[in-house]
Amino acid sequence: MAELRALWEWKNQPPRSPGVGGIRPDAEVLLTPAGQDLLAAVCRAERRSLERALPAWSAGPEVFAGVSSGGRPEARWQLGGAVHGLVVHACRLCTAGRSGRDVGAARYRQRWQRVCARHGRWLLGAGDGHRLEHLGIAGCPEITVAQRRWPGVAGRAVAVGVEPAAVFSVAWAVVCQWWELALGWERERVWPGRLHALAGGDAGAGEGFWWWRVVAREAAVFPEVVAVAGALVDPGVAEMVWRDSGGERVRAFPADSEFARELGRRVGRPWLGEVDAVAGSGALVRWRGAVVRRRSGVGQVGEWGMDPWWLPREEQPVSVAAQLRTLAQRADGSISWRASVPREERAWIGEKVREAADVLSWLDVHGTAAVAAGARELIVGLLQSVAVLDEAVVAVASAAHQAGVPLESLGAWAGVPVEELSRDVVRHRADLEQRFG
């Protein structure tokens, strides 16, 4: 293989897998036109055949455009996710059937294309930072059924003028947020049983509950993601949201709303409204609010909060690789604050806490000034300290969210609505980028 690679002039080093070692299996090779001609000659294949077989083939000339190579066959490494899309391990049994050899391979696949129904496998991400290539799903037939149902949901999305990928992304974010909340749902029985099956039963317990909970999450929640996606593109469900909002007479959404009950019915959890799952998902609250604003005619199309399918970065699920890096900090799966939060952020939070303490230390509740002057001094001082502490609260929430703590949990601890906390965190991250670069 080294002799073959030496035929091209490489512009960078191959990306390595920190959790596994060796070249990352989701690494992609991009070639100049001359490099593509050389590969075609080595493979004794026509260029158009390689273009059909290799999804990222056309990206090579685009990346090298404007850079003079003097006609030399050049190549560069790049992660497949940045070139064409998600990269997963191919099913080895399918690969062996096609090639006659037991070798590993990688394929570009969307999140709704991860089931190998023939061999009962869920194909795992190639860049997730662990050695597993697939999960056995023979004990979870509902996962295969969900993949078969997805084309129908995608068709309904197209019928209402929405990109299926956008619908899936919102549903994926909603259900992943529920996945975190479900640790506190006493009546939840589906996901624990499914996770146990995906981990191989008791035989898979050796890796630890938290490890399997990260690695198997995408497969475990897939049936609910498809069910929620189907609900989000159903005009009847949008009508329920409108009625729950009070229609023309706007009111606060009830926890056990018609919308929540319908979602619970679709995902097989009729008690979902009782645990306030809708309010617990920032992505779902955002979607619901956009639906109501559009229906009521508040704002203009294209304004912030008007697109139900826009998903801000802070609402997107934390990747498997990022979660595994966090878990590696502590064997029991808890998060080490010092290891997860950069030193500059920790120092800034400490500075805010000390600043608030300094303000409070100057306040004298036993002063002899006139009542009005004394009250004014106390009130102004307290408000100043509260404002500084509010900044510290947002900073702590921002750092914890970057480390993988869900926004809904942080909002509950801080007593702040998730949507408001989300906006504060976004502003804080922008301020930090300006401050620390």
Side-chain angles (χ1 to χ4, degrees), residues 104-400:
R107 303 186 71 181
Y108 286 106
R109 279 291 181 267
Q110 299 293 344
R111 296 191 189 278
W112 56 83
Q113 299 173 318
R114 307 287 280 275
V115 173
C116 173
R118 175 180 297 177
H119 300 111
R121 293 179 168 184
W122 177 272
L123 308 178
L124 294 171
D128 287 346
H130 56 75
R131 297 184 182 277
L132 284 183
E133 295 184 3
H134 71 271
L135 299 173
I137 58 174
C140 306
E142 66 274 20
I143 295 178
T144 302
V145 170
Q147 180 159 297
R148 290 176 182 150
R149 286 178 176 169
W150 169 252
V153 175
R156 291 194 292 276
V158 172
V160 297
V162 184
E163 284 289 333
V167 175
F168 190 93
S169 295
V170 173
W172 163 245
V174 170
V175 178
C176 283
Q177 289 168 353
W178 284 351
W179 176 252
E180 300 302 324
L181 291 173
L183 290 171
W185 292 348
E186 295 182 0
R187 283 178 283 185
E188 176 58 43
R189 298 291 183 272
V190 177
W191 280 337
R194 194 179 295 159
L195 178 59
H196 187 73
L198 290 170
D202 294 335
E207 290 282 4
F209 169 78
W210 293 103
W211 190 90
W212 279 107
R213 198 168 187 278
V214 170
V215 172
R217 178 191 65 179
E218 296 190 358
V221 303
F222 184 62
E224 286 77 14
V225 173
V226 174
V228 169
L232 298 184
V233 295
D234 187 337
V237 171
E239 186 65 27
M240 292 178 191
V241 172
W242 176 246
R243 289 197 297 267
D244 287 338
S245 73
E248 299 298 337
R249 298 180 179 181
V250 178
R251 67 185 181 195
F253 285 95
D256 193 17
S257 62
E258 184 182 7
F259 173 52
R261 291 194 298 272
E262 176 62 14
L263 285 181
R265 184 188 67 80
R266 293 193 181 217
V267 299
R269 295 162 178 83
W271 40 263
L272 203 63
E274 299 175 34
V275 296
D276 214 6
V278 174
S281 167
L284 194 52
V285 168
R286 186 182 299 277
W287 179 88
R288 184 181 63 180
V291 168
V292 173
R293 282 188 285 272
R294 277 193 169 189
R295 177 69 179 270
S296 60
V298 175
Q300 300 294 322
V301 176
E303 289 184 356
W304 184 91
M306 290 294 290
D307 183 3
W309 311 109
W310 178 70
L311 192 64
R313 183 176 180 181
E314 65 271 14
E315 297 292 355
Q316 297 172 13
V318 180
S319 69
V320 171
Q323 290 183 84
L324 289 180
R325 286 195 297 269
T326 300
L327 287 181
Q329 302 297 330
R330 295 276 294 275
D332 62 359
S334 60
I335 298 174
S336 167
W337 176 264
R338 181 177 292 274
S340 300
V341 180
R343 179 179 57 82
E344 294 85 357
E345 284 192 60
R346 285 187 275 116
W348 191 85
I349 292 168
E351 179 184 337
K352 287 297 176 182
V353 173
R354 286 191 295 274
E355 183 180 338
D358 287 343
V359 173
L360 291 171
S361 68
W362 285 99
L363 299 182
D364 184 6
V365 297
H366 303 292
T368 58
V371 173
R376 180 181 181 279
E377 180 182 348
L378 286 171
I379 290 173
V380 171
L382 287 170
L383 288 175
Q384 288 176 343
S385 63
V386 167
V388 175
L389 286 173
D390 281 344
E391 289 186 65
V393 167
V394 172
V396 170
S398 172

